[in-house]
Amino acid sequence: IIYIYPALKRLFKIENIKIMILRRLAESLFISLAAWFGTAGFIAYYFKILTPIAILANILIIPTASLVIISGLVLFILDPLAPFLTGAFAAFNELTVFMLVKLSTFFSSLPFAYYRI
């Protein structure tokens, strides 16, 4: 990501996109593309699959996984300090994990999501 994303950003001149939400979507897409380029070879070699859907899936999966991690960390910290709040954070954490699994299942079930090689 450190090497590929800046090159993609310069190549496609993302900074010229005036509408902020479109620029953020383009940035997310190119970060996901850079991550895919960086890991596709390893995944192909070790697992014998190619996963082009990962480029689009990661745009939704990465923020959801971040929510899982953050809410789990908050739950861990709050438990000894405010145990009465842990139920709400546990429910939120459970919801985000559920969303993560559903997103992953959805994208992996799409046609041409992966190819065996």
Side-chain angles (χ1 to χ4, degrees):
I1 293 173
I2 292 171
Y3 297 112
I4 298 170
Y5 171 68
L8 289 171
K9 194 173 175 180
R10 280 191 305 274
L11 180 66
F12 290 96
K13 297 177 175 52
I14 293 176
E15 66 278 353
N16 291 343
I17 300 173
K18 302 295 183 219
I19 301 169
M20 184 61 70
I21 192 148
L22 292 179
R23 185 178 325 147
R24 296 292 182 225
L25 281 172
E27 289 171 348
S28 295
L29 178 65
F30 288 130
I31 289 170
S32 183
L33 185 61
W36 184 76
F37 279 140
T39 60
F42 294 110
I43 292 170
Y45 180 78
Y46 289 107
F47 300 106
K48 309 292 187 232
I49 59 172
L50 188 62
T51 56
I53 197 67
I55 299 165
L56 295 175
N58 283 340
I59 292 172
L60 295 174
I61 288 176
I62 297 299
T64 307
S66 298
L67 281 176
V68 169
I69 293 167
I70 291 167
S71 67
L73 182 61
V74 169
L75 179 63
F76 177 75
I77 292 169
L78 275 182
D79 186 40
L81 301 174
F84 57 92
L85 291 175
T86 57
F89 278 93
F92 181 75
N93 194 265
E94 186 176 351
L95 175 65
T96 56
V97 168
F98 177 79
M99 289 172 31
L100 186 66
V101 170
K102 287 298 184 184
L103 282 169
S104 180
T105 302
F106 168 73
F107 281 110
S108 67
S109 68
L110 291 175
F112 310 111
Y114 63 92
Y115 300 96
R116 298 216 178 268
I117 52 175

